[in-house]
């Protein structure tokens, strides 16, 4: 038996798996020295050092200018790239064209995440952003458009054959074209509908308006397993529509975020029959409100007695849901406006467990258990 694997080479006769473990154990300076030993060590070092890159800050274009000067083999090693621009306003040294030029030189990019707070890439340049990554074998794409803006130009065709797509859409209609923002959003999604396994849509324009018609997404009905949808309105019909459109969902998250009215969609036990139509669902997340009908709004920050009341209401609702959906294993509730000034939120997570009864021969029973939260013990608040 030889110690040289098929991926070993004459100038460095070690199995690739062993070589990679050795390189992982080295500090960055030692890894750079290892890259000089042989071609095979250089390839493995590049893969480990540059496989995933992340640039975050006020001037990501300055950082990208540096990596853009790297050799082709370095760029060829990049599989995942995360860019997050935290600028509220555009700086004098910001240049989105640098991002586009760099992206075009990445032949093996598989995962791309672009998030911005300001408008480094405004709606008018979304076409250039997408055009710069069409050549790559992308399977995952995340786009968060940043501060509110108005849709510009013609709709941009999305990326084909994606498995995972997440879009945070903070774009308003053109003043003379109602629903134009949703039209643009749909174009970004439709190209991959036949291949998507996971889809997240956060429709959060500044102005109140319509939400995306889920019937437009029917082509994803046979492949989609995870669907997260944040709506601007209070459309309860989405509870009935979701299982009809996406028949194979395992994870579903629905957020009704019409903050202007002060609460999310009010929970009703009558929603449970619609939820039971999700035959394969094991993980559910909802933002439904329980407090509005009871006139039990938060009166002060860090009101633990109020937290407990909110928790118990969602615990009872979870028990009812789990009784009707015995395959469900996780259920969490996003609660909006938990602070005195209404700007924060928190999540109440629950798990559903199978437990053996006390006597032999009886069937397993389902028990709903809450996951410990910060206010149940010591620790700082984890509100967002």
């Amino acid at each position: 038996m030889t110690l040289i694997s098929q991926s070993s080479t004459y100038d460095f006769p070690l199995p690739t798996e062993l070589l990679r473990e050795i390189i992982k154990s080295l500090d960055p300076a030692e890894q750079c020295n290892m890259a000089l030993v042989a071609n095979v060590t250089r390839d493995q070092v590049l893969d480990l050092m540059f496989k995933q890159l992340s640039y975050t800050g006020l001037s990501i274009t300055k950082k990208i200018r540096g990596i853009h000067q790297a050799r082709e083999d370095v760029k060829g090693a990049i599989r995942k790239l995360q860019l997050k621009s935290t600028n509220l306003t555009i700086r004098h040294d910001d240049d989105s064209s640098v991002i586009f030029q760099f992206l075009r030189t990445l032949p093996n990019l598989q995962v791309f995440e672009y998030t911005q707070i300001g408008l480094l890439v405004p709606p008018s340049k979304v076409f250039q952003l997408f055009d710069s990554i069409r050549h790559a074998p992308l399977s995952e794409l995340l786009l968060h458009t940043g501060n509110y803006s108005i849709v510009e130009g013609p709709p941009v065709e999305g990326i084909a054959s994606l498995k995972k797509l997440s879009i945070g859409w903070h774009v308003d209609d053109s003043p003379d074209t109602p629903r134009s923002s949703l039209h643009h959003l749909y174009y970004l999604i439709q190209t991959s509908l036949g291949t998507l396994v996971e889809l997240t849509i956060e429709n959060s324009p500044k102005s109140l308006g319509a939400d995306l018609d889920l019937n437009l997404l029917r082509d994803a009905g046979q492949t989609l397993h995870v669907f997260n949808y944040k709506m601007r309105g209070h459309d309860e019909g989405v509870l009935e529509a979701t299982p009809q459109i996406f028949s194979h969902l395992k994870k579903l998250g629905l957020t009704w975020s019409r903050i202007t009215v002060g609460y999310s969609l009010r929970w009703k036990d009558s929603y449970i029959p619609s939820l039971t139509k999700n035959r394969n669902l094991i993980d559910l997340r909802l933002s439904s409100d329980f407090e509005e009908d009871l006139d039990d709004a938060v009166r002060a920050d860090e009101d633990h007695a109020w937290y407990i009341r909110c928790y118990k209401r969602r615990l009872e609702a979870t028990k009812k849901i789990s009784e009707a959906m015995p395959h469900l294993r996780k259920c969490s509730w996003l609660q909006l406006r938990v602070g005195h000034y209404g700007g924060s939120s928190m999540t109440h997570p629950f798990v559903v467990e199978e437990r053996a009864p006390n006597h032999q021969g009886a069937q397993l029973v389902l028990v709903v258990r809450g996951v410990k939260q910060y206010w149940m013990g010591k620790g700082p608040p984890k509100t967002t």
Side-chain angles (χ1 to χ4, degrees), residues 143-145 148 166-173 179-186 189 200-214 227-233 255-259:
L143 171 66
H144 279 209
T145 60
Y148 301 110
S166 176
I167 299 181
W169 194 243
H170 310 285
V171 181
D172 286 294
D173 292 341
R179 299 181 67 89
S180 55
S181 173
L182 292 178
H183 187 56
H184 282 240
L185 173 59
Y186 171 64
I189 300 171
T200 297
I201 301 172
E202 181 183 334
N203 181 39
S204 299
K206 185 176 183 179
S207 302
L208 289 178
D211 284 299
L212 191 67
D213 181 1
L214 294 189
F227 183 49
N228 298 297
Y229 185 31
K230 182 176 181 180
M231 296 157 278
R232 193 61 170 162
T255 302
W256 296 269
S257 61
R258 194 173 179 182
I259 303 301

Side-chain angles (χ1 to χ4, degrees), residues 250-266:
K250 295 181 179 179
K251 183 175 181 179
L252 173 63
L254 298 174
T255 302
W256 296 269
S257 61
R258 194 173 179 182
I259 303 301
T260 54
V261 300
Y263 51 87
S264 186
L265 179 71
R266 298 172 180 176

Side-chain angles (χ1 to χ4, degrees), residues 19 23 31-32 34-48 71-74:
L19 176 59
I23 295 173
Q31 289 181 342
C32 291
M34 178 67 85
L36 302 175
V37 173
N39 288 335
V40 66
T41 60
R42 177 179 174 80
D43 292 343
Q44 295 302 321
V45 169
L46 290 179
D47 184 65
L48 289 171
R71 288 173 34 161
E72 289 185 5
D73 54 354
V74 172

